Every structure is written in C-alpha cells, then in structure tokens.
Amino acid sequence: MEQMNKTPLECLDPRSKMMMTLCISTLAIAFSRPVVLFGILLFCLLILLAGKAPVKLFLQKIRALLYLILFLFIIQCVFVREGEPLLQIDSLIIITRLGMEIALSVVLRLLILVFSGMILASGQVRDYLLALVQCRVPYELAFMVMMVIRFIPLLRQDAQDVFYAAQMRGTELEKVPFQKKLSILLRLLLPIAAGALERVRIMSIAMETRMFRAYSGRTYHRILTLSNFDKTILLLFPVCTLAAGLLLG
Amino acid sequence: MDLILENLVYSYPGSRQAILRGLSAKFSCGAITALTGLNGCGKTTLVKNIVGILRPKSGRILLGGSDLTSLSIARIGRKIGCLLQNPSCQLFSPTVEEEIAYGLNNQGLSRALVRKKTDYYLDYFQLSPYRGRFPFHLSRGEKQRLVLAAVLAMEPDYVLLDEPTASLDAYWRKNLGKYLRKIQKDGCGVILVSHDSDFVEEYAGVELIMEQGVISKEINLADGRIKNGADE
Ligand SMILES: Nc1ncnc2c1ncn2[C@@H]1O[C@H](COP(=O)(O)OP(=O)(O)OP(=O)(O)O)[C@@H](O)[C@H]1O
Ligand SMILES: [Mg+2]
C-alpha cells in the first residue's frame, strides 16, 4: 500500500506520536536536574534516529531558534550571581555553578520540547485531526486546534512583512543592541497578533457561510487502526512516565 | 540624482530559474516612470531588491553614484520610500496619527515639525477624522491611503509604489495622481508599478515594460517613441 517509502516514524499511528510527545514534554517540565533532562533529551533523540526522522534537515530549518536558545543560555549564565563561582576574573564573578545549572536546565528543557515536537512533525495535520476525533474530541475543537497550527507559517510571513515595513520607515534593526531590538520586536507584536485575529475572524465567517457545523457529524474515508507496536507505545509511555516521576521526583 | 540599476540578477532561494536576469534601467528624479508587465514577471521582486528586502545575487543599484546594495533597509528607506502590495502588512501603530508620525520620528525631526507634517498629511489624505482610530479597523482603501501618507510624509528622494491605485476609488485615484505630479515638480522621482493603464498613461512620462527578467521596451509616453531594451 502507501506504506512503501515511509520512515518507521511515519508509519506510527498519530495517537502514538501524540502520546510520546505528551509524555516526553511532561517529563521535561516535571524535572529540573540537568542530568535527568539530558537523559530525556538523549532518549528523545534516540526515538527520532530509530524512526529515521530527517533530524539534520529539521535542525537547519530551526537554526534561528537554536541561536535564540544559545543566547538564552548565555543570558541565564551571566545573570545569576549567587552560588559557588566557576569563572572569575579578579574579584568579578562571571559564572557561578548555580547559574550554570539553571541555564543548562532551561536550555535542555527547550531542546526537549523542540525535539519532541519533531516527533509530531513527521505526521500530517489531517492525520492528527482524525486521531483527535477518534479519541472523541469534538470535531469543532479538533478542527480549530489544527487551523491554528496551519496558521503559524502565515503568521511568520505577516510578521516578516511588518518588520520590513518598519525598517523601510527608518527603524534600524541591523546592528543595533539586542535590548533595543527586542523592544522594537515587542512593539511590532501587537499589530501582528491583531492581524492574525482578524484573519481567523474572517475565516470563521467564511466557514459558517459554507455551512460548517450545519450537520452534527461527518464521516471519514479512513479509520485509523492501532498496530500491536502502537498499543505497546500507548501503554508503556504513560506507565514509564509515571514510574519515572515517582522514582526520580 | 538618478537611480540606476546595473545588471541585476535575482532568483528566489531554492528555485533555479532567475526572476531578474541582468536587468538594467535608469530612473530620473523629477519624473514619473511606470513599470509594467504581465502578472508574475517580477515587478514586485524588483521593487523588493531596490529597497533591500531582497538582495540581488549580482549587479549594482546606484543612487547619486553610491551603491545601495550593501546598505541596511533603514538606510535605504531614508532615500527611497516604498509602498508594497498588501497595505495591511505595512501598518503597525496603535493609532492612525502615530502611524504617520512613526517615520518622521525616526528621521529625528523636532516634535513641532513632526506634529505639523502629521497634521498636513492627515488632512491631505482626509484621514483626520480617524486620527485616534486603530489602523486595522480602517477599510482597505483607507488603509492604502494611510500607508501612502506614512510613506510620502517622509518626503524621500524616490518613491516606489507597487499597485497604488489597486483599492482606491475614482476620486482618490485622481487625487493621488495630482499629488504625484506635485512631488514630481518638487524633484522627487516616482516609480509606479501598475496594471492600471489609464492611470499610467495619464500621469507617467516614461513606461518601462518588463519581460523575461529584463526591461524589454521603453516607451516615451509624451511622444510615443519606443526604444527597445537591446538597442542600448
Ligand atoms: N517568495 C517566493 N519564493 C519563490 N518564488 C516566488 C516568491 N515570490 C514570488 N515568486 C515568483 O516570482 C515570480 C515573480 O513574482 P512577482 O511577485 O515579482 O511578480 P509581479 O510582476 O509583481 O506580479 P503581479 O503583477 O501579479 O504583482 C512569480 O513567478 C512568483 O511565483
Ligand atoms: Mg506584484
């Protein structure tokens, strides 16, 4: 069938993937010790590699985000002043052990969230929609969630256009101190959000004029079925998550 | 001070086909030059290359002898004002008034002067009644007028207008034409990208036709003389 050129990760049931992402990200939020977080990150990477996910391509796509995470790491390191000093120039303490630990855990958490999101990224929006509906989530709700996800690339385009417009009217964004840049970006966030809401509003009107919700349900060509492997994942992941929470917490 | 494009080459990342293929052109200050061509021939791409949103793969953009291709968007924006196709994505201020004042403040003008100019442009584009309103709640044509006002208020050496008449009614089309004539007389160079051939014929002095990534024809609209791009 259509299973031919699929990576193992793509063959998994969308529900299994959602469960994995949910469990891994829950663990990432529940723990804060860098060692444990590092273990979770490794585990997540292992899943991606075993599933033959295109990790390299993905990393290229989110390069900007990785720089941001690196930047966060440095900021966190430098701004925590308490604790045993690790790096000191004369009497000026630059990095402390506590600062380093906090920074590491923040960065590891973010990375885990990004990579666990990548497990989801191997599937298609409509598969998740179908999976949510089969888990008895109301169709309208599932549909709205998926629409929001689909809007994200559009939002990025809008945001870019607004930044360009502001620059063309004299806002210098290249070669300015980071703090100034941040304050400009925050100021521009308002119109971008307003634009997005306006879009959603217009679309919901368009959908209603095309009879969305006029019928109580709909039917599907495909019904998702769980393989034994999927069933194992769906059982094992929550159990292991709970166990890990009890043991290490 | 002429704006000269020399052998511009541009292709979008990931696509093999170049949109601009060694395009050269000259725009004069104190003139209205129209840039026309079929849908998708690359007019907007050219505009974005000139203002620095996209960077040409090779070629030079000279304004008064200095090359713009290495300047930041903001530096280019001080000399060249630009209106892009979608007005909604060019508005970002909490009120109509602040939208116009934004660029003026960036120019470092005194508060009194910013106020004076803002009032003048609000008045000219008949946006005074909306001055305290949120720009997103204007109609499409009003948004277009507001972006025009915000760009023109900065009084740049050149203005690039991508489809400025697209959502304007007959009254405002005419008003815009009159305004472009006025700034042309004051020595501003206007570059008009438009499918509105009546508007182009009425107000532009020269029409450049873009085809296959280059300027294929230059028509002098005053006397109807045609110069082919290859002749130069
Ligand atoms: N971001 C992009 N990535 C890849 N290709 C693009 C991108 N933007 C535009 N193109 C392509 O480049 C070509 C030129 O587009 P452009 O928007 O410059 O045309 P245009 O002359 O302004 O057309 P119109 O008259 O419709 O405004 C088109 O074929 C378009 O599909
Ligand atoms: Mg265009």
Side-chain angles (χ1 to χ4, degrees):
Chain A
M1 256 180 32
E2 51 177 86
Q3 308 260 324
M4 295 244 288
N5 290 320
K6 280 184 165 178
T7 62
L9 198 57
E10 283 169 339
C11 292
L12 280 185
D13 189 275
R15 281 166 291 186
S16 309
K17 288 189 233 175
M18 287 197 281
M19 179 58 85
M20 288 200 282
T21 305
L22 190 71
C23 288
I24 293 174
S25 46
T26 309
L27 285 175
I29 292 165
F31 292 113
S32 61
R33 288 207 334 254
V35 192
V36 181
L37 288 173
F38 191 68
I40 301 171
L41 182 63
L42 274 187
F43 177 66
C44 186
L45 271 176
L46 214 66
I47 294 178
L48 288 170
L49 291 178
K52 296 212 165 57
V55 179
K56 215 166 151 190
L57 195 78
F58 184 74
L59 284 178
Q60 269 170 13
K61 271 194 196 163
I62 58 159
R63 217 171 43 202
L65 192 66
L66 294 179
Y67 284 130
L68 190 72
I69 291 179
L70 181 71
F71 178 75
L72 271 177
F73 178 75
I74 296 169
I75 289 282
Q76 291 276 349
C77 268
V78 174
F79 276 82
V80 177
R81 308 250 49 105
E82 301 89 31
E84 168 197 344
L86 280 184
L87 181 66
Q88 206 167 4
I89 297 177
D90 293 335
S91 62
L92 185 69
I93 299 170
I94 296 183
I95 296 173
T96 68
R97 180 178 292 277
L98 184 68
M100 186 67 124
E101 270 171 22
I102 292 178
L104 264 179
S105 68
V106 167
V107 164
L108 284 171
R109 266 185 189 160
L110 281 174
L111 283 176
I112 294 171
L113 289 181
V114 168
F115 280 110
S116 68
M118 195 185 160
I119 298 178
L120 279 184
S122 65
Q124 288 193 338
V125 175
R126 63 189 167 99
D127 290 339
Y128 293 117
L129 183 59
L130 196 56
L132 285 175
V133 171
Q134 285 197 9
C135 296
R136 295 184 210 286
V137 173
Y139 179 71
E140 291 85 352
L141 193 66
F143 187 81
M144 285 304 169
V145 171
M146 292 307 152
M147 278 329 279
V148 168
I149 293 175
R150 275 201 190 153
F151 261 110
I152 290 173
L154 282 179
L155 272 180
R156 214 176 68 179
Q157 184 63 52
D158 276 11
Q160 229 162 36
D161 287 352
V162 168
F163 291 146
Y164 286 139
Q167 287 180 73
M168 285 193 292
R169 276 193 257 147
T171 309
E172 191 63 74
L173 273 182
E174 297 163 34
K175 297 179 202 137
V176 295
F178 186 81
Q179 255 173 350
K180 182 139 184 284
K181 205 175 208 165
L182 200 69
S183 81
I184 296 169
L185 297 187
L186 286 180
R187 182 187 182 286
L188 295 180
L189 227 54
L190 163 87
I192 294 166
L197 281 180
E198 188 66 11
R199 278 250 189 98
V200 171
R201 199 180 60 82
I202 290 170
M203 197 186 63
S204 69
I205 293 171
M207 273 165 39
E208 256 157 57
T209 60
R210 282 191 252 153
M211 312 290 270
F212 184 67
R213 270 153 62 131
Y215 301 97
S216 57
R218 55 162 292 186
T219 54
Y220 300 89
H221 286 299
R222 285 192 311 146
I223 294 177
L224 299 171
T225 47
L226 293 171
S227 68
N228 284 334
F229 189 52
D230 284 314
K231 284 181 193 154
T232 320
I233 289 179
L234 281 174
L235 195 71
L236 220 54
F237 261 78
V239 170
C240 290
T241 305
L242 262 181
L246 290 177
L247 281 176
L248 298 166
Chain B
M1 202 162 59
D2 287 339
L3 177 64
I4 297 170
L5 314 182
E6 279 181 3
N7 287 314
L8 292 185
V9 175
Y10 183 81
S11 56
Y12 281 99
S15 103
R16 243 182 287 145
Q17 199 164 10
I19 307 289
L20 307 181
R21 304 178 193 162
L23 182 143
S24 298
K26 192 179 112 180
F27 302 97
S28 317
C29 54
I32 301 180
T33 309
L35 181 68
T36 59
L38 302 179
N39 284 138
C41 72
K43 303 179 295 292
T44 301
T45 308
L46 177 60
V47 168
K48 287 183 174 170
N49 268 277
I50 296 175
V51 294
I53 294 178
L54 303 174
R55 300 291 178 172
K57 299 267 168 346
S58 66
R60 295 198 300 171
I61 300 169
L62 300 167
L63 180 62
S66 62
D67 195 352
L68 299 183
T69 44
S70 54
L71 297 184
S72 69
I73 301 177
R75 291 281 297 279
I76 299 173
R78 278 183 222 161
K79 296 172 181 151
I80 303 179
C82 175
L83 169 94
L84 290 175
Q85 256 169 337
N86 183 358
S88 299
C89 293
Q90 296 167 76
L91 298 172
F92 46 81
S93 297
T95 65
V96 167
E97 192 173 5
E98 283 170 72
E99 193 70 59
I100 297 181
Y102 186 86
L104 300 172
N105 283 323
N106 279 336
Q107 286 179 321
L109 304 180
S110 73
R111 194 176 290 184
L113 197 54
V114 170
R115 171 122 210 127
K116 194 170 144 237
K117 285 196 180 190
T118 306
D119 284 342
Y120 175 79
Y121 283 89
L122 277 173
D123 195 47
Y124 189 90
F125 286 92
Q126 295 180 18
L127 293 164
S128 303
Y130 311 126
R131 62 189 309 152
R133 287 252 294 263
F134 186 41
F136 268 86
H137 292 161
L138 298 177
S139 80
R140 202 184 143 84
E142 287 161 352
K143 280 183 192 157
Q144 180 92 346
R145 260 151 58 200
L146 177 56
V147 182
L148 273 168
V151 170
L152 294 173
M154 293 175 71
E155 296 169 1
D157 298 338
Y158 276 84
V159 281
L160 281 171
L161 306 174
D162 200 348
E163 298 286 354
T165 59
S167 38
L168 297 183
D169 59 26
Y171 171 78
W172 274 106
R173 226 168 127 256
K174 198 157 168 196
N175 246 358
L176 175 67
K178 271 201 324 218
Y179 191 81
L180 294 182
R181 279 239 169 95
K182 176 176 124 45
I183 59 174
Q184 171 204 3
K185 288 219 181 74
D186 296 341
C188 175
V190 179
I191 300 169
L192 185 66
V193 176
S194 185
H195 293 293
D196 184 345
S197 50
D198 291 342
F199 190 79
V200 165
E201 265 165 45
E202 185 159 358
Y203 295 102
V206 177
E207 179 177 359
L208 304 179
I209 298 177
M210 201 173 155
E211 217 173 355
Q212 310 271 341
V214 294
I215 302 296
S216 63
K217 249 188 215 155
E218 179 183 327
I219 305 174
N220 188 327
L221 291 167
D223 55 19
R225 268 197 318 209
I226 297 177
K227 210 160 79 181
N228 283 317
D231 293 354
E232 282 189 75

